[in-house]
Amino acid sequence: MRGHRPEPSDNVQELLVALGQLVDQALDRIEYQRARVELAVALQRHMLPPGLPQLPGLRLAARYAPSRGGLEVGGDWYDAFVMHDGSLGLTIGDVQGHDVEAIAFMGQVRTSLRALARTTSDTREVLGRANDLLIAMGCGLFATCCFLRFDPVSRDLTVSRAGHVPMVWATASGRHGIALDRGGPPLGIVSGERYPVTHRRLTEAGVLVLLTDGVVEGPHYPMESGLAEVVRLVRAGFDADPDVLASAVVKVADLTGHRDDAAVLVVRYDGPQASD
């Protein structure tokens, strides 16, 4: 005799309907979050410069790697532009937070720095005015930043840091290291801050590598170890094309286990020309 499957009771049917609705809602939330992250990543990439200036005797390359933290997005950025006096302005930074608000703030910081750098060649003034502007906006966020100005005629390099990771450097004569320049607090915290400036003169060919902490620091990997690895890469790849070197440096994040986003900006200086 064939068995008879009983019809589900009303309570069971109600439970199945409720579970189905919960599954649908969960899928909708997942799809919403996925679309939100895709939009944020697209917005972030759109806010990065579409290209980098190439001046005589200088070659630049940059890399950006998005966050590997699931639904989180970051606020790292880089920028390079010609200033009002013909010198090259370089910035790299990291905004507090991992959401769309942080990305919007990143766009404001980058735009502010670029606009201010077109009105003055004083790196201290650029960071100071940007800091006060961001505080006046009252959004409550802050950003670390490194701002450089390089004059290709005089070969003078000025550097100001606002709570940011130091840059790595190497020269054709074999010198290399981590530029532990003095700095001030992140932008958006202390009103009226006067950021220290470091002055250098580039007398030979060399490489500068600007980066964010997402490259060199992880939960169980100290920043000092990450920076040492970048120094090793820069020494070993000194003669490499800047694009190749930038790709190698950004992959250091794979060693650190950091899930934050990461940005790298490489500047190769070919050295004084015969006419200098």
Side-chain angles (χ1 to χ4, degrees):
M1 181 177 178
R2 298 176 61 183
H4 175 68
R5 176 182 297 176
E7 294 293 329
S9 67
D10 292 340
N11 289 339
V12 172
Q13 287 180 330
E14 290 174 359
L15 178 60
L16 292 175
V17 170
L19 287 174
Q21 291 174 343
L22 289 174
V23 170
D24 288 341
Q25 292 172 8
L27 292 175
D28 287 344
R29 284 195 297 270
I30 293 173
E31 186 61 32
Y32 169 76
Q33 292 290 357
R34 182 183 294 112
R36 184 172 179 269
V37 171
E38 289 177 354
L39 175 62
V41 171
L43 177 63
Q44 186 173 36
R45 290 190 180 277
H46 179 73
M47 287 185 176
L48 295 174
L52 299 173
Q54 303 296 328
L55 301 180
L58 287 171
R59 287 175 288 164
L60 280 67
R63 290 292 183 274
Y64 171 78
S67 169
R68 294 171 291 176
L71 295 176
E72 291 188 346
V73 290
D76 289 12
W77 89 89
Y78 61 84
D79 200 4
F81 48 87
V82 178
M83 299 172 64
H84 71 287
D85 59 358
S87 59
L88 180 67
L90 302 162
T91 65
I92 194 163
D94 184 2
V95 166
Q96 168 202 14
H98 299 85
D99 51 28
V100 176
E101 183 181 7
I103 295 174
F105 185 63
M106 177 266 283
Q108 293 171 329
V109 175
R110 189 177 77 84
T111 302
S112 299
L113 287 169
R114 179 181 278 241
L116 291 168
R118 293 187 182 278
T119 65
T120 177
S121 58
D122 186 339
T123 57
R124 184 199 310 272
E125 185 176 354
V126 170
L127 281 192
R129 291 170 61 184
N131 175 63
D132 290 342
L133 177 61
L134 296 174
I135 291 175
M137 290 166 54
C139 63
L141 297 177
F142 64 84
T144 66
C145 174
C146 185
F147 177 60
L148 285 73
R149 172 185 174 270
F150 177 65
D151 187 331
V153 177
S154 67
R155 305 195 299 276
D156 289 331
L157 177 72
T158 56
V159 183
S160 290
R161 285 200 303 145
H164 197 69
V165 181
M167 64 181 177
V168 171
W169 59 273
T171 67
S173 62
R175 295 184 299 125
H176 57 271
I178 301 167
L180 299 176
D181 303 315
R182 293 186 304 128
L187 302 177
I189 294 181
V190 182
S191 180
E193 180 68 25
R194 297 281 291 171
Y195 290 90
V197 177
T198 301
H199 298 271
R200 295 184 177 86
R201 192 165 189 265
L202 304 189
T203 58
E204 60 177 316
V207 174
L208 301 176
V209 178
L210 287 70
L211 40 77
T212 58
D213 63 357
V215 179
V216 293
E217 186 178 36
H220 307 290
Y221 199 94
M223 182 181 294
E224 292 78 9
S225 298
L227 287 171
E229 177 63 17
V230 174
V231 171
R232 186 192 69 79
L233 287 173
V234 173
R235 290 180 61 195
F238 181 84
D239 294 324
D241 183 86
D243 275 310
V244 174
L245 186 55
S247 295
V249 171
V250 80
K251 289 181 181 178
V252 172
D254 295 336
L255 298 176
T256 68
H258 204 300
R259 301 179 67 82
D260 200 356
D261 55 341
V264 172
L265 180 59
V266 174
V267 183
R268 174 175 292 284
Y269 174 53
D270 292 336
Q273 304 302 304
S275 57
D276 292 347

